[in-house]
Amino acid sequence: MSNALRSPDAKVPNRALKAARSAQRRQIRTGLLFVSPWVLGFLAFFLYPFFATLYYSFTDYSGLGAAHLIGFANYWALFHDSLFRTSLFNTFYYTAVELPLSTIVALGLALLLNMKVKGMAFYRTIFYIPSIVPIVASCMVFVWIFNPTNGVMNSLLSNLHVPGPDWFFSVSWSKPSFILLGLWGLGQPMVIYLAALQGVPKDMYEVASLEGAGPWHRLRHVTLPMISPIILFNVVLQLVVCVSYFTQAQVIESQDVGGPGTSTWFYVQYLYTQAFQFLKFGYSSAMGFFLFVITAIITTVLLKSSSRWVYYAGDDR
Amino acid sequence: MITAPQVLPPRTSPQPSETWARRRWAPQKLLTSATKHAVLLIFTVVFGFPLLWMVLSSLKSNPQALQSPVVWWPRPFLWDNYPNVINAVPFYRFVLNTLLYAAITIVGVCLSSSLVAYGFARLRWRGRDALFFVMLCTLLVPFFATLLPLFILYRKFHMVGWYLPLEIPTFFGSSVFSTFLLRQFFMTIPEALSDAARVDGANEFYIYSRIILPLAKPAMATVVLFQFIYCWNDYIGPLIFINNENWYPLSIGLSFVLGTYSTNWPWVMAAAAAATAPIVILFFFTQRTFMGGISIQGTGTKG
Amino acid sequence: MKALAIGSALTVLLAPGTAGASALKPDGGVVNLTWETMWSGPTLLLLKQMTTAFNASHPGIRVTEENIPSATGDAKLQSQIAAGDPPDIFTEWNPVIGEYAAKGYILNMNTYLTGAYKGFVKWMYPLAAATGTYKGELVGVPMSLNSWALYYNKSIMKAAGIMSPPTTLAQLTADQAKEWIIKGGKLSQIGMYPGANGYQYFSTFFGALNCFNSAGQYDYANTKTCPGATALMNWLTDFKSYPYAQVNSMNATYGAVAGGDDDPFVAGKEGFNMDGPWEGAQNIPDANPSMEGNFGVIPFPGTVGGPSTIGQGNFNIIPEGASNSKDAFEFITWLAGYNNVKFTSNIDPQGGWVPAGPQIAAAPAYQAYVKKFPWMTTYLEQMSSKYSQAPVLTTNQEQANTAMATASNDVQDGSMSPAAALKYIDTQANASS
């Protein structure tokens, strides 16, 4: 069929060509019809603000009044802004550590729970609850537990004769402290992994074991491929969450914004400060757009690579 | 490197003793039961300890909570902290506001996200994957960067001051999380099912509503649960768009407790625990419904 | 879709009568004003008293107070202004007023300084008026003023063998050094630690505020024209040897997380602390009554030759686009105490607020308050002192403040040298787009 569409010289009846094309058009129409709610919402609630932000990034807009175009001035200023570089570094440090760690731990726990353990409902609930505790409350609990002088963690460590670090108040331990806080909330991806694992058909495992596949082999060649669509899902979403890290840092470092030194100035925090405290909306729009581009590139790489390691049982695509 | 699932080539003719062994052979275990429980116990302590601390602190008196060296057990148990803090703010009204907000968005998400997910998962059409990528990209724009133009837009539609800016978009597929989740799960349903229906003359909407949706009940239940939890804890959204105190959801109500009683740690912890308990209970009792396998494979149909 | 219809119907049915921030048209001749604040805690009760009293005495105006969480309050205000739908009055922290005024976010109130209000600016303390004036235009009116002085803990002082409170900077540094208790690496008592407020709030004591070059840019690093800045930073390095992390963790323990009001001084664990009158008037009685009577307040022994304080406080502004600015102005002046001396002189003591005008301080109710708490005289003295300074309102004022906070912390934890810190402040403050 494709040959017919490509070679104009071939003696192909016009009817077949037309039929092929109209079938394609029909498919596009049906597809678009189903996704139309999203398309409408996208046009109405996303496109305008997105292009407005892009536009503002080339202006000196303060949030009110006229916006004067100033070309790439904001973007040049970004690269000379040491705080921009610092906040970018901090956010990507956090992402680079938190993303793999949380994926491995969440997946590991889900695999563990999937092994017909007694009391699974209980364990599952316990691991999940931290991710639904209100953010402000979980921040306060952590700050308290990890308080260098009065906190439970350091008092436990001192009982083991290990000097406890200054956690959130130490230049080198502040980011790891936030990472720990983030890991505490990995109940959500874990629960999704577990659900996916429980959906893997048992007969696949049976066949594999009958052929002599050991448990490790089954894990690598049956389990993981079968849930790979969900792994992709969680990784992409967790990337977005890590890159837009804001609330926890704002709450915990409210007295010393940016933490000890500038170790916990996160990107979105700086963006918020520029937009709403310094009234430099144009500049913060440039920051926002810059982050968008970087994250889009990472996501593209992830999705493109996914065709090599993600397996969809529903169809061969 | 994860590859498509494979099975090993069959071994050469089995010996009688091997056959016998295979019939009674249970699959080897990766870990012994003891190791499993040990690991789980360690993680339970790690995850559960801060929760325990939160609850214990909520039952202490304020001086006891701040004592150094650390006091573990409340002496006495101030159960009164809970009714006191609940009565200090219009707790039940906040809960009602949150429930209403969640209910409306759940309807919106179930309707629109499942339709959109079907379009991305079960149909093949030109431009589909590109559009899906665009949808994912909408997640990548930081909220505060687009807030100002978004706010102006909502005001043009007269939606500011109510929950509308948070609710109406959910009817238009704004929950990319839900759409993405459903798309991934729809894609695990064998294409053969759809093909058979198409051969029988069914249109796509019929397939969507009569075949795919019923099979995806656990996935939909997951979406409902997560949307509920999201609404329960949503803070920044209502903060920006709701002006009237009577309409505040529980998440903002909690921050009022924090602001008003910041020197009373036990009260703050009690408020946090009171705000978390309902969804914990909800999760505990509903986890079975959607944990039964959100991939279609679980039903045992051989594709 | 059916669901959408039901959804919006429910929302409409259950919506309260008036949702929305903008003032409505006069109904029955009554002007409705919306007043947004970011306070929390016991202050809210005071605000209620104030609105009730105003509404009772001004039958043609009805003020509704709306309280929004401070975490993203700025974003909310600016969104509302940008959308053309702002509240009539908003209470903001003064450092942002300069940039708001420069960019046209808030109204110039000079137009209302006529008739009965002609003498309003003169009625206020010069410091109060200056802190709310941008290039000659009155843009913010204080309702509570801040003033900073040195609290000292009597029992800690006694235990350290210090006979009387310090009168010079050198004495203060030496005294507080005696009061630190660090046993086995663990901190249990702080002598003094300026912290993030180091540069900004101490600046007037060293004459280190408002240093500009001829081009109007911030110029704190200039040792010739602004020696006070270097002197202040050098003094801050004295605190390098103290455990920054432990001090901050102690702050966090006593409620500093997420904007709490409590601090180690209130808990009786700090020897010296710079703070405003609310510390003694509200925080201590509320959080730790055992500290009452165990503290005193003295002017900070700075180098300028007399008591001083930086102009600071919660100022009422009228956002651009507010519908009833004239009535809003009336309310704002009433809140400040103009033509309202008796009521304000009763409210201010409850909040531990320094009044906006000397007439209120002289009123009997306030005088009785000062008699009860003699340490309040320090604060009042500073309001009229010639050494007190209001920070000049500029477009980059908030950037300067944020940079000062970071620089203060970094100098005190040893990660920045004084010269580098001042340069950092200048660079960040002068960054424009």
Side-chain angles (χ1 to χ4, degrees):
Chain A
M1 180 92 113
S2 50
N3 280 334
L5 288 172
R6 256 191 264 146
S7 54
D9 296 339
K11 287 191 177 29
V12 176
N14 274 348
R15 256 177 285 134
L17 204 59
K18 278 204 190 125
R21 290 225 186 95
S22 80
Q24 209 176 55
R25 270 202 301 272
R26 211 175 26 247
Q27 280 176 334
I28 296 179
R29 209 177 26 235
T30 322
L32 279 181
L33 204 63
F34 269 94
V35 303
S36 59
W38 173 76
V39 173
L40 288 173
F42 173 74
L43 292 174
F45 301 122
F46 181 82
L47 221 51
Y48 163 64
F50 178 75
F51 280 110
T53 305
L54 179 59
Y55 171 71
Y56 289 137
S57 73
F58 294 109
T59 69
D60 63 356
Y61 192 48
S62 67
L64 187 71
H68 309 112
L69 281 171
I70 53 173
F72 281 91
N74 283 333
Y75 290 95
W76 294 142
L78 272 184
F79 293 116
H80 293 166
D81 185 351
S82 65
L83 206 44
F84 164 78
R85 287 195 298 271
T86 311
S87 63
L88 194 63
F89 169 75
N90 286 339
T91 297
F92 276 96
Y93 176 114
Y94 177 82
T95 309
V97 178
E98 167 86 18
L99 188 54
L101 259 184
S102 70
T103 304
I104 294 173
V105 176
L107 196 51
L109 282 177
L111 285 167
L112 204 59
L113 283 180
N114 194 37
M115 292 184 195
K116 286 207 218 324
V117 182
K118 275 212 203 104
M120 180 167 75
F122 165 75
Y123 286 120
R124 190 163 53 200
T125 312
I126 284 285
F127 295 153
Y128 185 62
I129 293 179
S131 67
I132 54 179
V133 172
I135 291 185
V136 175
S138 56
C139 287
M140 308 241 304
V141 171
F142 254 68
V143 165
W144 214 358
I145 292 181
F146 284 89
N147 189 316
T149 31
N150 298 337
V152 166
M153 180 57 72
N154 275 6
S155 92
L156 279 175
L157 284 174
S158 69
N159 287 342
L160 299 170
H161 300 290
V162 173
D166 289 327
W167 300 111
F168 286 103
F169 302 108
S170 144
V171 175
S172 41
W173 282 90
S174 54
K175 285 195 276 287
S177 303
F178 278 102
I179 290 173
L180 284 176
L181 175 59
L183 286 177
W184 189 53
L186 54 68
Q188 170 138 324
M190 186 210 80
V191 149
I192 296 182
Y193 283 133
L194 190 55
L197 284 171
Q198 306 222 298
V200 178
K202 306 287 186 297
D203 37 353
M204 298 218 74
Y205 287 123
E206 273 177 32
V207 174
S209 346
L210 283 174
E211 308 298 346
W216 181 247
H217 196 271
R218 283 202 305 277
L219 177 70
R220 271 192 65 203
H221 294 288
V222 180
T223 316
L224 288 180
M226 289 304 284
I227 63 166
S228 52
I230 302 305
I231 298 182
L232 176 67
F233 170 77
N234 273 330
V235 167
V236 170
L237 286 184
Q238 193 68 3
L239 173 71
V240 173
V241 166
C242 286
V243 150
S244 31
Y245 201 64
F246 172 76
T247 315
Q248 290 88 331
Q250 200 75 334
V251 167
I252 291 180
E253 303 287 6
S254 59
Q255 289 298 56
D256 180 14
V257 179
T262 44
S263 59
T264 60
W265 257 115
F266 288 103
Y267 196 84
V268 176
Q269 265 186 303
Y270 189 44
L271 191 155
Y272 176 86
T273 307
Q274 282 289 350
F276 296 106
Q277 277 177 22
F278 299 166
L279 297 190
K280 286 163 70 176
F281 204 75
Y283 191 72
S284 83
S285 298
M287 282 187 73
F289 197 70
F290 181 82
L291 186 70
F292 167 76
V293 168
I294 292 199
T295 326
I297 293 176
I298 299 179
T299 312
T300 314
V301 169
L302 264 175
L303 286 181
K304 278 245 153 25
S305 78
S306 75
S307 58
R308 275 201 285 155
W309 55 275
V310 176
Y311 169 79
Y312 293 105
D315 203 284
D316 54 342
R317 58 190 101 191
Chain B
M1 181 72 184
I2 305 171
T3 54
Q6 306 161 357
V7 281
L8 297 175
R11 291 157 68 180
T12 45
S13 51
Q15 301 306 309
S17 55
E18 286 183 77
T19 323
W20 177 246
R22 227 181 265 159
R23 265 192 236 130
R24 296 209 328 178
W25 174 63
Q28 299 152 268
K29 296 205 194 300
L30 192 55
L31 297 172
T32 63
S33 177
T35 329
K36 265 188 266 174
H37 278 278
V39 173
L40 283 174
L41 218 58
I42 294 175
F43 274 98
T44 306
V45 169
V46 168
F47 277 82
F49 176 71
L51 293 174
L52 184 67
W53 189 254
M54 192 169 101
V55 173
L56 281 179
S57 305
S58 70
L59 296 167
K60 290 182 188 156
S61 68
N62 201 21
Q64 220 177 56
L66 294 176
Q67 227 170 312
S68 169
V70 165
V71 167
W72 286 75
W73 209 246
R75 242 183 285 252
F77 271 74
L78 282 177
W79 298 103
D80 272 354
N81 282 344
Y82 279 88
N84 283 343
V85 75
I86 289 181
N87 291 329
V89 293
F91 192 83
Y92 296 111
R93 183 164 33 180
F94 290 153
V95 169
L96 201 66
N97 291 336
T98 309
L99 287 178
L100 191 62
Y101 169 46
I104 294 177
T105 56
I106 284 174
V107 172
V109 166
C110 284
L111 287 174
S112 66
S113 286
S114 60
L115 278 169
V116 176
Y118 184 84
F120 279 129
R122 307 296 303 178
L123 301 173
R124 247 182 276 146
W125 42 284
R126 208 151 75 161
R128 179 196 67 174
D129 289 338
L131 208 57
F132 178 70
F133 175 71
V134 170
M135 184 180 83
L136 281 189
C137 279
T138 63
L139 285 176
L140 307 180
V141 182
F143 174 67
F144 287 116
T146 54
L147 176 58
L148 225 52
L150 201 62
F151 196 92
I152 296 173
L153 184 74
Y154 285 134
R155 203 197 152 254
K156 276 207 170 62
F157 289 136
H158 296 284
M159 296 194 333
V160 176
W162 299 355
Y163 280 91
L164 294 177
L166 303 168
E167 290 165 346
I168 297 215
T170 60
F171 286 86
F172 291 93
S174 69
S175 173
V176 178
F177 172 90
S178 309
T179 312
F180 196 177
L181 188 77
L182 289 174
R183 180 235 192 211
Q184 299 302 91
F185 287 127
F186 285 172
M187 280 174 112
T188 62
I189 301 175
E191 189 66 22
L193 282 171
S194 294
D195 284 339
R198 285 189 194 114
V199 160
D200 285 344
N203 69 19
E204 292 301 336
F205 192 77
Y206 182 90
I207 300 177
Y208 157 77
S209 52
R210 298 297 173 91
I211 299 181
I212 303 296
L213 269 193
L215 285 175
K217 271 209 243 302
M220 292 294 283
T222 311
V223 161
V224 167
L225 181 71
F226 282 136
Q227 180 64 28
F228 185 82
I229 292 171
Y230 172 79
C231 288
W232 190 265
N233 283 334
D234 190 14
Y235 179 70
I236 303 272
L239 189 67
I240 301 286
F241 293 112
I242 310 290
N243 292 328
N244 195 323
E245 284 163 34
N246 295 325
W247 278 103
Y248 280 150
L250 190 59
S251 48
I252 299 186
L254 182 66
S255 74
F256 274 145
V257 174
L258 181 61
T260 315
Y261 303 104
S262 60
T263 57
N264 194 335
W265 285 89
W267 273 37
V268 175
M269 291 293 120
T276 317
I279 29 177
V280 169
I281 295 171
L282 178 73
F283 175 80
F284 188 76
F285 285 115
T286 57
Q287 50 179 320
R288 212 139 293 217
T289 24
F290 71 91
M291 285 310 186
I294 23 184
S295 157
I296 188 57
Q297 308 289 336
T299 62
T301 36
K302 293 205 160 85
Chain C
M1 281 190 242
K2 222 199 236 171
L4 175 53
I6 295 177
S8 10
L10 269 176
T11 328
V12 167
L13 277 176
L14 294 171
T18 54
S22 62
L24 304 175
K25 287 219 161 18
D27 94 270
V30 174
V31 171
N32 285 300
L33 296 179
T34 316
W35 177 32
E36 276 182 16
T37 72
M38 298 189 284
W39 263 300
S40 59
T43 315
L44 292 179
L45 298 165
L46 294 179
L47 298 183
K48 238 199 191 84
Q49 284 184 49
M50 291 159 97
T51 44
T52 318
F54 181 84
N55 289 337
S57 55
H58 293 73
I61 309 177
R62 213 180 81 221
V63 174
T64 325
E65 192 257 330
E66 278 181 4
N67 185 249
I68 59 179
S70 62
T72 43
D74 293 322
K76 190 157 186 167
L77 171 65
Q78 285 163 45
S79 308
Q80 292 174 315
I81 296 177
D85 205 7
D88 297 285
I89 308 117
F90 195 93
T91 309
E92 259 289 6
W93 185 238
N94 76 291
V96 303
I97 295 184
E99 62 192 11
Y100 280 26
K103 301 196 170 153
Y105 271 51
I106 56 183
L107 296 187
N108 168 16
M109 300 190 226
N110 281 359
T111 37
Y112 302 118
L113 294 173
T114 56
Y117 299 105
K118 234 195 198 144
F120 178 57
V121 173
K122 279 225 162 64
W123 174 89
M124 288 191 276
Y125 280 113
L127 186 65
T131 311
T133 305
Y134 176 73
K135 293 196 175 150
E137 299 178 352
L138 183 69
V139 290
V141 175
M143 67 172 272
S144 80
L145 223 45
N146 295 354
S147 187
W148 299 86
L150 191 63
Y151 281 77
Y152 62 90
N153 183 314
K154 288 184 183 162
S155 53
I156 292 183
M157 207 185 255
K158 210 155 160 212
I162 303 165
M163 290 296 111
S164 58
T167 48
T168 68
L169 191 62
Q171 274 178 7
L172 170 62
T173 315
D175 284 352
Q176 65 89 29
K178 294 190 195 131
E179 292 177 347
W180 288 83
I181 298 182
I182 305 177
K183 278 214 191 81
K186 237 186 126 193
L187 172 72
S188 57
Q189 188 169 286
I190 304 174
M192 180 178 185
Y193 199 82
N197 301 326
Y199 191 90
Q200 209 200 116
Y201 297 177
F202 288 76
S203 53
T204 56
F205 308 134
F206 292 80
L209 189 65
N210 295 333
C211 292
F212 296 95
N213 64 15
S214 46
Q217 291 189 315
Y218 286 98
D219 196 18
Y220 290 107
N222 192 326
T223 45
K224 281 207 271 288
T225 56
C226 198
T230 311
L232 169 52
M233 280 302 192
N234 284 333
W235 178 69
L236 285 178
T237 55
D238 286 348
F239 297 90
K240 237 183 359 187
S241 53
Y242 298 113
Y244 159 92
Q246 295 209 42
V247 172
N248 272 303
S249 72
M250 216 182 206
N251 285 333
T253 310
Y254 294 105
V257 175
D261 274 335
D262 209 354
D263 58 47
F265 185 86
V266 170
K269 301 234 189 287
E270 198 172 12
F272 292 97
N273 187 33
M274 282 292 291
D275 217 330
W278 54 81
E279 180 91 323
Q282 267 185 340
N283 295 1
I284 289 180
D286 285 346
N288 189 13
S290 62
M291 264 295 286
E292 298 192 63
N294 189 23
F295 70 89
V297 179
I298 50 170
F300 186 89
T303 58
V304 291
S308 76
T309 183
I310 186 175
Q312 210 184 55
N314 294 301
F315 280 62
N316 288 318
I317 56 173
I318 304 178
E320 169 73 30
S323 334
N324 297 294
S325 39
K326 189 149 183 286
D327 298 290
F329 182 71
E330 188 176 337
F331 179 58
I332 287 178
T333 55
W334 184 91
L335 282 176
Y338 195 65
N339 288 334
N340 185 26
V341 175
K342 186 147 180 266
F343 179 79
T344 313
S345 62
N346 274 298
I347 279 276
D348 281 353
Q350 292 180 55
W353 294 336
V354 175
Q359 267 186 16
I360 301 174
Y366 205 84
Q367 282 296 307
Y369 174 62
V370 172
K371 216 171 186 171
K372 202 166 158 218
F373 302 107
W375 45 265
M376 280 299 293
T377 36
T378 309
Y379 288 107
L380 290 176
E381 260 178 12
Q382 291 171 175
M383 293 303 293
S384 333
S385 160
K386 66 177 184 210
Y387 299 107
S388 295
Q389 285 180 295
V392 170
L393 270 59
T394 65
T395 29
N396 288 357
Q397 204 178 346
E398 181 64 10
Q399 278 161 262
N401 282 348
T402 308
M404 283 178 190
T406 311
S408 298
N409 272 320
D410 287 352
V411 164
Q412 286 170 76
D413 70 35
S415 52
M416 244 200 232
S417 75
L422 290 175
K423 213 146 180 232
Y424 173 79
I425 295 178
D426 287 339
T427 320
Q428 297 290 60
N430 293 327
S432 58
S433 84

